[in-house]
Amino acid sequence: AQSVAQPEDQVNVAEGNPLTVKCTYSVSGNPYLFWYVQYPNRGLQFLLKYITGDNLVKGSYGFEAEFNKSQTSFHLKKPSALVSDSALYFCAVRDGVTGGGNKLTFGTGTQLKVEL
Amino acid sequence: DTEVTQTPKHLVMGMTNKKSLKCEQHMGHRAMYWYKQKAKKPPELMFVYSYEKLSINESVPSRFSPECPNSSLLNLHLHALQPEDSALYLCASSQGWVGVAKNIQYFGAGTRLSVL
């Protein structure tokens, strides 16, 4: 089975500073990786995905992620954090295909807190 | 438009009640999902429907009964739930067979369920 790990339960960043939310993966075969964000009492919002191609993936709201095959990592980054970025972030890996659906395995989540 | 609509937003039910959660999407997606999420935890997959057929049941207790009446609609029927079933129930959808492994799952805002 495929898996992802998010080693940090919480990340604190000052507004305007760069942020990084870490994710490492373990897969057999090609990795299909995703980042989602969840604001309080809301569903998950898709940010970006890595399938193949460029190791730097650009996504929504100014986020990007760097895929590193040798380190089996897929860290989420943003050059300048906003207070409104404070939320729960999930890394996920495609863990199988069934019929026309794909099965995702999520990491444990990282709470990002951006302070003034 | 990437909207998945879930109703109701909140639901309180007793352990002897029968209720239903509803999920709707009009993106032409052919795979639909139910997840259960506890506070600050990742979503846990419950069911996957692919082309209106149940393709995954993650050993969910029979007090949860999914139904997919058509390609746009997904229901979750609830009966004789336990207090530990209180959670945020999320619905998601994705395209289907076209590029299935790479497809993005789009989530609704969820139904916050409290079982008394």
Side-chain angles (χ1 to χ4, degrees):
Chain A
Q2 328 287 38
S3 65
V4 288
Q6 294 180 244
E8 300 157 318
D9 290 336
Q10 181 159 322
V11 170
N12 296 321
V13 176
E15 188 175 52
N17 283 0
L19 70 87
T20 298
V21 183
K22 295 179 181 177
C23 174
T24 59
Y25 65 89
S26 173
V27 303
S28 54
N30 294 323
Y32 294 150
L33 299 162
F34 303 81
W35 274 104
Y36 284 86
V37 60
Q38 186 174 31
Y39 296 96
N41 299 311
R42 302 291 296 174
L44 277 67
Q45 294 180 30
F46 168 75
L47 282 177
L48 49 82
K49 68 177 179 181
Y50 173 82
I51 304 299
T52 59
D54 290 341
N55 290 340
L56 187 63
V57 179
K58 293 195 182 295
S60 306
Y61 313 120
F63 284 93
E64 56 191 27
E66 187 173 4
F67 174 76
N68 188 314
K69 188 173 182 178
S70 62
Q71 297 185 4
T72 62
S73 66
F74 188 55
H75 300 332
L76 183 70
K77 298 174 185 282
K78 188 175 182 183
S80 179
L82 299 172
V83 171
S84 56
D85 293 328
S86 298
L88 185 57
Y89 290 79
F90 290 103
C91 181
V93 63
R94 194 264 294 168
D95 189 13
V97 170
T98 171
N102 54 27
K103 186 175 176 182
L104 293 179
T105 293
F106 289 89
T108 50
T110 299
Q111 184 69 49
L112 174 67
K113 187 173 182 181
V114 182
E115 298 164 311
L116 289 170
Chain B
D1 183 11
T2 56
E3 187 169 350
V4 176
T5 303
Q6 289 188 244
T7 54
K9 288 187 173 21
H10 302 276
L11 179 63
V12 179
M13 60 186 291
M15 289 190 284
T16 59
N17 291 158
K18 286 185 181 181
K19 296 287 185 183
S20 296
L21 310 184
K22 180 180 172 182
C23 174
E24 200 162 5
Q25 57 86 15
H26 296 287
M27 296 178 277
H29 289 175
R30 302 308 299 273
M32 296 186 78
Y33 311 75
W34 279 116
Y35 288 86
K36 173 183 177 180
Q37 186 183 27
K38 292 282 199 178
K40 305 291 188 186
K41 299 293 186 184
E44 300 170 19
L45 183 65
M46 300 174 71
F47 303 103
V48 181
Y49 271 84
S50 173
Y51 294 79
E52 295 92 71
K53 289 185 170 33
L54 183 65
S55 58
I56 290 184
N57 176 342
E58 293 285 277
S59 303
V60 178
S62 59
R63 58 185 183 268
F64 295 91
S65 175
E67 178 197 20
C68 189
N70 60 57
S71 60
S72 300
L73 192 56
L74 185 67
N75 297 321
L76 186 62
H77 303 297
L78 314 173
H79 173 55
L81 294 193
Q82 304 297 310
E84 59 266 27
D85 297 321
S86 298
L88 182 67
Y89 287 84
L90 295 167
C91 174
S93 70
S94 64
Q95 263 191 304
W97 269 120
V98 177
V100 60
K102 312 171 188 178
N103 287 343
I104 299 164
Q105 289 186 26
Y106 293 96
F107 286 78
T111 294
R112 176 74 61 191
L113 175 67
S114 297
V115 182
L116 304 178

